[in-house]
Amino acid sequence: MRKVLTAFFSMIILLAFSSGNVFAANEEDTTVAENIIESAEKYIGTPYGGEFDCSGYVYKVFSENGIELPRSSSSQYKHGESVEKENLQKGDLVFFNTTGSGISHVGIYIGDNKFIHSASSIGVSISKLNDPYYWGKRYVGAAKVL
Protein backbone atom coordinates (compact mmCIF):
# COMPACT_ATOMS: atom_id res chain seq x y z
CA MET A 1 0.00 0.00 0.00
CA ARG A 2 2.84 2.37 0.87
CA LYS A 3 4.43 1.82 -2.57
CA VAL A 4 1.14 2.56 -4.28
CA LEU A 5 0.71 5.82 -2.35
CA THR A 6 4.31 6.84 -3.04
CA ALA A 7 3.86 6.18 -6.75
CA PHE A 8 0.55 8.07 -6.73
CA PHE A 9 2.01 11.18 -5.07
CA SER A 10 5.06 11.02 -7.33
CA MET A 11 2.76 11.10 -10.36
CA ILE A 12 0.81 14.06 -8.92
CA ILE A 13 4.02 16.04 -8.37
CA LEU A 14 5.34 15.12 -11.83
CA LEU A 15 2.10 16.21 -13.49
CA ALA A 16 2.01 19.46 -11.53
CA PHE A 17 5.49 20.43 -12.67
CA SER A 18 5.08 19.32 -16.27
CA SER A 19 1.79 21.17 -16.72
CA GLY A 20 3.48 24.33 -15.47
CA ASN A 21 6.01 24.04 -18.27
CA VAL A 22 3.28 23.47 -20.83
CA PHE A 23 1.50 26.59 -19.58
CA ALA A 24 4.69 28.63 -19.90
CA ALA A 25 5.21 27.43 -23.48
CA ASN A 26 1.60 28.25 -24.39
CA GLU A 27 1.93 31.68 -22.80
CA GLU A 28 5.07 32.35 -24.84
CA ASP A 29 3.33 31.19 -28.05
CA THR A 30 0.41 33.52 -27.26
CA THR A 31 2.76 36.49 -26.83
CA VAL A 32 4.50 35.72 -30.13
CA ALA A 33 1.13 35.36 -31.86
CA GLU A 34 -0.06 38.70 -30.47
CA ASN A 35 3.17 40.34 -31.69
CA ILE A 36 2.66 38.85 -35.14
CA ILE A 37 -0.91 40.12 -35.29
CA GLU A 38 0.23 43.57 -34.16
CA SER A 39 2.87 43.59 -36.92
CA ALA A 40 0.31 42.38 -39.46
CA GLU A 41 -2.25 45.06 -38.56
CA LYS A 42 0.15 47.93 -39.19
CA TYR A 43 -0.01 47.11 -42.92
CA ILE A 44 -3.82 47.31 -43.21
CA GLY A 45 -4.62 49.29 -46.34
CA THR A 46 -1.29 48.56 -48.07
CA PRO A 47 -2.10 47.78 -51.71
CA TYR A 48 -1.53 44.29 -53.07
CA GLY A 49 1.47 43.89 -55.34
CA GLY A 50 3.14 47.19 -54.55
CA GLU A 51 5.11 46.04 -51.56
CA PHE A 52 4.10 42.38 -51.51
CA ASP A 53 1.62 39.70 -52.53
CA CYS A 54 -0.14 37.43 -50.01
CA SER A 55 2.78 35.12 -49.23
CA GLY A 56 5.26 38.00 -49.30
CA TYR A 57 3.11 39.78 -46.73
CA VAL A 58 3.05 36.72 -44.43
CA TYR A 59 6.78 36.23 -45.00
CA LYS A 60 7.49 39.87 -44.04
CA VAL A 61 5.29 39.87 -40.92
CA PHE A 62 6.82 36.67 -39.57
CA SER A 63 10.32 37.82 -40.48
CA GLU A 64 9.78 41.01 -38.46
CA ASN A 65 9.17 38.72 -35.50
CA GLY A 66 12.26 36.57 -36.02
CA ILE A 67 10.49 33.63 -37.67
CA GLU A 68 11.73 32.39 -41.03
CA LEU A 69 9.22 31.02 -43.51
CA PRO A 70 9.48 29.90 -47.12
CA ARG A 71 8.45 32.57 -49.62
CA SER A 72 5.53 30.96 -51.53
CA SER A 73 2.10 30.11 -50.13
CA SER A 74 2.37 26.46 -51.22
CA SER A 75 5.77 26.15 -49.52
CA GLN A 76 4.42 27.83 -46.37
CA TYR A 77 1.58 25.27 -46.36
CA LYS A 78 4.08 22.41 -46.36
CA HIS A 79 6.34 24.11 -43.79
CA GLY A 80 4.05 24.04 -40.76
CA GLU A 81 2.20 21.40 -38.79
CA SER A 82 -1.33 20.81 -40.07
CA VAL A 83 -4.12 22.22 -37.88
CA GLU A 84 -7.82 21.36 -38.00
CA LYS A 85 -10.08 24.35 -38.60
CA GLU A 86 -11.81 23.96 -35.23
CA ASN A 87 -8.40 24.05 -33.48
CA LEU A 88 -7.07 27.25 -35.05
CA GLN A 89 -5.06 29.52 -32.77
CA LYS A 90 -4.00 33.11 -33.30
CA GLY A 91 -0.91 33.23 -35.50
CA ASP A 92 -1.70 30.05 -37.45
CA LEU A 93 -1.51 30.31 -41.22
CA VAL A 94 -4.69 29.70 -43.22
CA PHE A 95 -4.60 28.61 -46.86
CA PHE A 96 -6.96 28.88 -49.80
CA ASN A 97 -7.34 27.70 -53.38
CA THR A 98 -8.36 30.81 -55.32
CA THR A 99 -7.23 29.69 -58.78
CA GLY A 100 -8.56 26.13 -58.99
CA SER A 101 -5.10 24.62 -58.94
CA GLY A 102 -3.98 24.07 -55.33
CA ILE A 103 -2.74 26.45 -52.65
CA SER A 104 -2.71 29.97 -54.05
CA HIS A 105 -3.46 32.27 -51.09
CA VAL A 106 -2.35 32.55 -47.45
CA GLY A 107 -3.35 34.65 -44.47
CA ILE A 108 -2.77 34.84 -40.72
CA TYR A 109 -5.52 33.71 -38.36
CA ILE A 110 -6.27 36.46 -35.82
CA GLY A 111 -9.03 34.76 -33.83
CA ASP A 112 -12.81 35.11 -33.79
CA ASN A 113 -13.11 33.36 -37.19
CA LYS A 114 -11.08 36.11 -38.92
CA PHE A 115 -7.79 36.30 -40.77
CA ILE A 116 -5.59 39.10 -42.05
CA HIS A 117 -4.12 38.89 -45.54
CA SER A 118 -3.06 40.77 -48.64
CA ALA A 119 -5.93 40.35 -51.09
CA SER A 120 -5.41 41.17 -54.75
CA SER A 121 -8.63 43.20 -54.84
CA ILE A 122 -8.21 45.40 -51.73
CA GLY A 123 -4.73 44.91 -50.32
CA VAL A 124 -4.06 44.10 -46.68
CA SER A 125 -7.37 43.61 -44.92
CA ILE A 126 -9.26 41.41 -42.48
CA SER A 127 -11.77 38.85 -43.75
CA LYS A 128 -14.06 36.23 -42.24
CA LEU A 129 -12.71 32.71 -42.60
CA ASN A 130 -16.15 31.21 -43.27
CA ASP A 131 -17.39 33.96 -45.59
CA PRO A 132 -20.04 32.06 -47.59
CA TYR A 133 -19.50 34.16 -50.72
CA TYR A 134 -15.78 33.69 -51.22
CA TRP A 135 -13.26 32.56 -48.58
CA GLY A 136 -15.35 29.83 -46.97
CA LYS A 137 -15.67 27.97 -50.28
CA ARG A 138 -11.95 28.26 -51.01
CA TYR A 139 -10.51 27.27 -47.63
CA VAL A 140 -8.03 24.37 -47.95
CA GLY A 141 -6.36 24.06 -44.56
CA ALA A 142 -4.16 25.59 -41.91
CA ALA A 143 -0.68 25.21 -40.49
CA LYS A 144 0.91 26.02 -37.16
CA VAL A 145 4.36 27.56 -37.56
CA LEU A 146 4.84 28.97 -34.04
Short mmCIF file of all heavy atoms in Angstrom, two decimals, residues 53-87:
data_model
loop_
_atom_site.label_atom_id
_atom_site.label_comp_id
_atom_site.label_asym_id
_atom_site.label_seq_id
_atom_site.Cartn_x
_atom_site.Cartn_y
_atom_site.Cartn_z
N ASP A 53 2.82 40.48 -52.28
CA ASP A 53 1.62 39.70 -52.53
C ASP A 53 1.24 39.01 -51.22
O ASP A 53 1.80 39.33 -50.17
CB ASP A 53 1.84 38.71 -53.67
CG ASP A 53 2.96 37.70 -53.40
OD1 ASP A 53 3.54 37.72 -52.28
OD2 ASP A 53 3.26 36.90 -54.29
N CYS A 54 0.33 38.05 -51.26
CA CYS A 54 -0.14 37.43 -50.01
C CYS A 54 0.97 36.71 -49.25
O CYS A 54 1.15 36.91 -48.05
CB CYS A 54 -1.32 36.50 -50.27
SG CYS A 54 -0.93 35.04 -51.29
N SER A 55 1.73 35.88 -49.93
CA SER A 55 2.78 35.12 -49.23
C SER A 55 3.95 36.01 -48.84
O SER A 55 4.58 35.80 -47.81
CB SER A 55 3.26 33.95 -50.09
OG SER A 55 3.78 34.40 -51.32
N GLY A 56 4.22 37.04 -49.65
CA GLY A 56 5.26 38.00 -49.30
C GLY A 56 4.90 38.79 -48.06
O GLY A 56 5.75 39.10 -47.22
N TYR A 57 3.62 39.09 -47.93
CA TYR A 57 3.11 39.78 -46.73
C TYR A 57 3.31 38.91 -45.49
O TYR A 57 3.86 39.36 -44.48
CB TYR A 57 1.63 40.11 -46.94
CG TYR A 57 0.89 40.55 -45.71
CD1 TYR A 57 1.21 41.75 -45.07
CD2 TYR A 57 -0.13 39.76 -45.18
CE1 TYR A 57 0.52 42.15 -43.94
CE2 TYR A 57 -0.82 40.17 -44.06
CZ TYR A 57 -0.49 41.36 -43.44
OH TYR A 57 -1.18 41.75 -42.32
N VAL A 58 2.89 37.65 -45.56
CA VAL A 58 3.05 36.72 -44.43
C VAL A 58 4.53 36.54 -44.12
O VAL A 58 4.95 36.58 -42.96
CB VAL A 58 2.37 35.37 -44.74
CG1 VAL A 58 2.76 34.31 -43.73
CG2 VAL A 58 0.85 35.55 -44.78
N TYR A 59 5.34 36.38 -45.15
CA TYR A 59 6.78 36.23 -45.00
C TYR A 59 7.37 37.43 -44.25
O TYR A 59 8.15 37.28 -43.32
CB TYR A 59 7.41 36.09 -46.39
CG TYR A 59 8.91 36.01 -46.39
CD1 TYR A 59 9.56 34.79 -46.25
CD2 TYR A 59 9.69 37.15 -46.55
CE1 TYR A 59 10.95 34.71 -46.26
CE2 TYR A 59 11.07 37.08 -46.56
CZ TYR A 59 11.69 35.87 -46.42
OH TYR A 59 13.06 35.79 -46.43
N LYS A 60 6.98 38.65 -44.65
CA LYS A 60 7.49 39.87 -44.04
C LYS A 60 7.06 40.00 -42.57
O LYS A 60 7.89 40.30 -41.72
CB LYS A 60 7.02 41.09 -44.83
CG LYS A 60 7.55 42.41 -44.29
CD LYS A 60 7.19 43.55 -45.22
CE LYS A 60 7.76 44.87 -44.79
NZ LYS A 60 9.20 44.99 -44.97
N VAL A 61 5.80 39.75 -42.29
CA VAL A 61 5.29 39.87 -40.92
C VAL A 61 6.00 38.89 -39.99
O VAL A 61 6.43 39.26 -38.90
CB VAL A 61 3.76 39.67 -40.89
CG1 VAL A 61 3.26 39.47 -39.46
CG2 VAL A 61 3.06 40.84 -41.56
N PHE A 62 6.14 37.65 -40.41
CA PHE A 62 6.82 36.67 -39.57
C PHE A 62 8.30 36.98 -39.43
O PHE A 62 8.87 36.84 -38.36
CB PHE A 62 6.58 35.25 -40.09
CG PHE A 62 5.29 34.65 -39.61
CD1 PHE A 62 4.08 35.06 -40.14
CD2 PHE A 62 5.27 33.71 -38.60
CE1 PHE A 62 2.88 34.55 -39.68
CE2 PHE A 62 4.08 33.18 -38.13
CZ PHE A 62 2.88 33.60 -38.67
N SER A 63 8.91 37.44 -40.51
CA SER A 63 10.32 37.82 -40.48
C SER A 63 10.57 38.95 -39.48
O SER A 63 11.57 38.94 -38.76
CB SER A 63 10.76 38.24 -41.88
OG SER A 63 12.11 38.62 -41.87
N GLU A 64 9.67 39.91 -39.42
CA GLU A 64 9.78 41.01 -38.46
C GLU A 64 9.76 40.51 -37.02
O GLU A 64 10.21 41.20 -36.11
CB GLU A 64 8.62 42.00 -38.65
CG GLU A 64 8.74 42.85 -39.89
CD GLU A 64 7.55 43.77 -40.09
OE1 GLU A 64 6.59 43.76 -39.28
OE2 GLU A 64 7.57 44.53 -41.06
N ASN A 65 9.25 39.31 -36.83
CA ASN A 65 9.17 38.72 -35.50
C ASN A 65 10.17 37.58 -35.31
O ASN A 65 10.02 36.75 -34.42
CB ASN A 65 7.74 38.25 -35.24
CG ASN A 65 6.81 39.42 -35.01
OD1 ASN A 65 6.71 39.92 -33.90
ND2 ASN A 65 6.16 39.90 -36.06
N GLY A 66 11.18 37.54 -36.18
CA GLY A 66 12.26 36.57 -36.02
C GLY A 66 11.93 35.16 -36.44
O GLY A 66 12.62 34.21 -36.05
N ILE A 67 10.89 34.97 -37.25
CA ILE A 67 10.49 33.63 -37.67
C ILE A 67 10.66 33.52 -39.18
O ILE A 67 10.07 34.30 -39.94
CB ILE A 67 9.04 33.33 -37.27
CG1 ILE A 67 8.92 33.40 -35.75
CG2 ILE A 67 8.59 31.98 -37.80
CD1 ILE A 67 7.51 33.46 -35.24
N GLU A 68 11.48 32.58 -39.61
CA GLU A 68 11.73 32.39 -41.03
C GLU A 68 10.71 31.43 -41.62
O GLU A 68 10.43 30.38 -41.06
CB GLU A 68 13.13 31.84 -41.25
CG GLU A 68 14.22 32.85 -40.95
CD GLU A 68 15.59 32.35 -41.36
OE1 GLU A 68 15.70 31.71 -42.42
OE2 GLU A 68 16.53 32.61 -40.60
N LEU A 69 10.16 31.84 -42.76
CA LEU A 69 9.22 31.02 -43.51
C LEU A 69 9.68 30.94 -44.95
O LEU A 69 10.38 31.83 -45.44
CB LEU A 69 7.82 31.65 -43.49
CG LEU A 69 7.05 31.69 -42.18
CD1 LEU A 69 5.73 32.43 -42.38
CD2 LEU A 69 6.79 30.29 -41.67
N PRO A 70 9.24 29.91 -45.67
CA PRO A 70 9.48 29.90 -47.12
C PRO A 70 8.73 31.07 -47.76
O PRO A 70 7.83 31.66 -47.15
CB PRO A 70 8.89 28.57 -47.57
CG PRO A 70 8.72 27.76 -46.34
CD PRO A 70 8.57 28.71 -45.21
N ARG A 71 9.02 31.40 -48.98
CA ARG A 71 8.45 32.57 -49.62
C ARG A 71 7.08 32.34 -50.25
O ARG A 71 6.21 33.20 -50.21
CB ARG A 71 9.45 33.09 -50.67
CG ARG A 71 9.00 34.26 -51.49
CD ARG A 71 8.62 35.48 -50.62
NE ARG A 71 8.17 36.58 -51.44
CZ ARG A 71 6.95 36.72 -51.92
NH1 ARG A 71 6.02 35.81 -51.68
NH2 ARG A 71 6.63 37.75 -52.65
N SER A 72 6.80 31.18 -50.83
CA SER A 72 5.53 30.96 -51.53
C SER A 72 4.46 30.37 -50.60
O SER A 72 4.77 29.71 -49.62
CB SER A 72 5.73 30.04 -52.73
OG SER A 72 5.94 28.71 -52.29
N SER A 73 3.19 30.62 -50.95
CA SER A 73 2.10 30.11 -50.13
C SER A 73 2.08 28.58 -50.10
O SER A 73 1.85 27.98 -49.05
CB SER A 73 0.75 30.65 -50.60
OG SER A 73 0.53 30.37 -51.96
N SER A 74 2.37 27.93 -51.21
CA SER A 74 2.37 26.46 -51.22
C SER A 74 3.51 25.91 -50.37
O SER A 74 3.35 24.90 -49.67
CB SER A 74 2.44 25.91 -52.65
OG SER A 74 3.59 26.37 -53.30
N SER A 75 4.65 26.58 -50.37
CA SER A 75 5.77 26.15 -49.52
C SER A 75 5.47 26.41 -48.05
O SER A 75 5.83 25.62 -47.18
CB SER A 75 7.06 26.88 -49.91
OG SER A 75 7.46 26.52 -51.20
N GLN A 76 4.80 27.52 -47.76
CA GLN A 76 4.42 27.83 -46.37
C GLN A 76 3.44 26.78 -45.86
O GLN A 76 3.49 26.39 -44.70
CB GLN A 76 3.81 29.23 -46.30
CG GLN A 76 4.83 30.33 -46.51
CD GLN A 76 4.21 31.71 -46.67
OE1 GLN A 76 3.00 31.88 -46.75
NE2 GLN A 76 5.08 32.73 -46.72
N TYR A 77 2.55 26.30 -46.73
CA TYR A 77 1.58 25.27 -46.36
C TYR A 77 2.29 23.99 -45.94
O TYR A 77 1.91 23.34 -44.96
CB TYR A 77 0.64 25.01 -47.54
CG TYR A 77 -0.43 23.99 -47.28
CD1 TYR A 77 -1.45 24.24 -46.38
CD2 TYR A 77 -0.44 22.78 -47.96
CE1 TYR A 77 -2.45 23.30 -46.15
CE2 TYR A 77 -1.44 21.84 -47.75
CZ TYR A 77 -2.45 22.11 -46.85
OH TYR A 77 -3.44 21.19 -46.62
N LYS A 78 3.33 23.63 -46.65
CA LYS A 78 4.08 22.41 -46.36
C LYS A 78 5.03 22.58 -45.17
O LYS A 78 5.45 21.61 -44.56
CB LYS A 78 4.90 22.00 -47.59
CG LYS A 78 4.06 21.62 -48.77
CD LYS A 78 4.92 21.40 -49.99
CE LYS A 78 4.06 21.20 -51.23
NZ LYS A 78 4.84 21.24 -52.45
N HIS A 79 5.36 23.82 -44.83
CA HIS A 79 6.34 24.11 -43.79
C HIS A 79 5.83 23.83 -42.38
O HIS A 79 6.55 23.36 -41.53
CB HIS A 79 6.76 25.58 -43.91
CG HIS A 79 7.79 26.00 -42.90
ND1 HIS A 79 9.11 25.63 -43.01
CD2 HIS A 79 7.70 26.76 -41.79
CE1 HIS A 79 9.79 26.14 -41.98
NE2 HIS A 79 8.96 26.83 -41.24
N GLY A 80 4.58 24.15 -42.12
CA GLY A 80 4.05 24.04 -40.76
C GLY A 80 3.41 22.70 -40.46
O GLY A 80 3.36 21.80 -41.31
N GLU A 81 2.92 22.60 -39.25
CA GLU A 81 2.20 21.40 -38.79
C GLU A 81 0.72 21.63 -39.04
O GLU A 81 0.14 22.64 -38.65
CB GLU A 81 2.46 21.21 -37.29
CG GLU A 81 1.73 20.05 -36.68
CD GLU A 81 1.94 19.99 -35.17
OE1 GLU A 81 3.00 20.40 -34.69
OE2 GLU A 81 1.01 19.52 -34.49
N SER A 82 0.08 20.69 -39.72
CA SER A 82 -1.33 20.81 -40.07
C SER A 82 -2.21 21.02 -38.83
O SER A 82 -1.97 20.41 -37.79
CB SER A 82 -1.77 19.55 -40.81
OG SER A 82 -3.12 19.67 -41.20
N VAL A 83 -3.20 21.90 -38.97
CA VAL A 83 -4.12 22.22 -37.88
C VAL A 83 -5.55 22.10 -38.40
O VAL A 83 -5.86 22.61 -39.48
CB VAL A 83 -3.90 23.67 -37.38
CG1 VAL A 83 -4.90 24.04 -36.30
CG2 VAL A 83 -2.49 23.88 -36.89
N GLU A 84 -6.40 21.44 -37.64
CA GLU A 84 -7.82 21.36 -38.00
C GLU A 84 -8.47 22.73 -37.81
O GLU A 84 -8.10 23.48 -36.91
CB GLU A 84 -8.54 20.32 -37.15
CG GLU A 84 -8.07 18.90 -37.38
CD GLU A 84 -8.33 18.43 -38.81
OE1 GLU A 84 -9.41 18.74 -39.35
OE2 GLU A 84 -7.45 17.75 -39.37
N LYS A 85 -9.43 23.04 -38.63
CA LYS A 85 -10.08 24.35 -38.60
C LYS A 85 -10.64 24.69 -37.21
O LYS A 85 -10.52 25.82 -36.75
CB LYS A 85 -11.21 24.38 -39.64
CG LYS A 85 -11.69 25.75 -40.00
CD LYS A 85 -12.69 25.63 -41.14
CE LYS A 85 -12.97 26.96 -41.76
NZ LYS A 85 -13.91 26.85 -42.90
N GLU A 86 -11.21 23.71 -36.55
CA GLU A 86 -11.81 23.96 -35.23
C GLU A 86 -10.75 24.16 -34.13
O GLU A 86 -11.07 24.57 -33.02
CB GLU A 86 -12.79 22.85 -34.83
CG GLU A 86 -12.20 21.47 -34.76
CD GLU A 86 -12.22 20.72 -36.10
OE1 GLU A 86 -12.61 21.30 -37.13
OE2 GLU A 86 -11.85 19.54 -36.08
N ASN A 87 -9.49 23.89 -34.45
CA ASN A 87 -8.40 24.05 -33.48
C ASN A 87 -7.48 25.23 -33.79
O ASN A 87 -6.39 25.33 -33.22
CB ASN A 87 -7.56 22.77 -33.40
CG ASN A 87 -8.36 21.60 -32.88
OD1 ASN A 87 -9.23 21.76 -32.03
ND2 ASN A 87 -8.10 20.42 -33.39
#
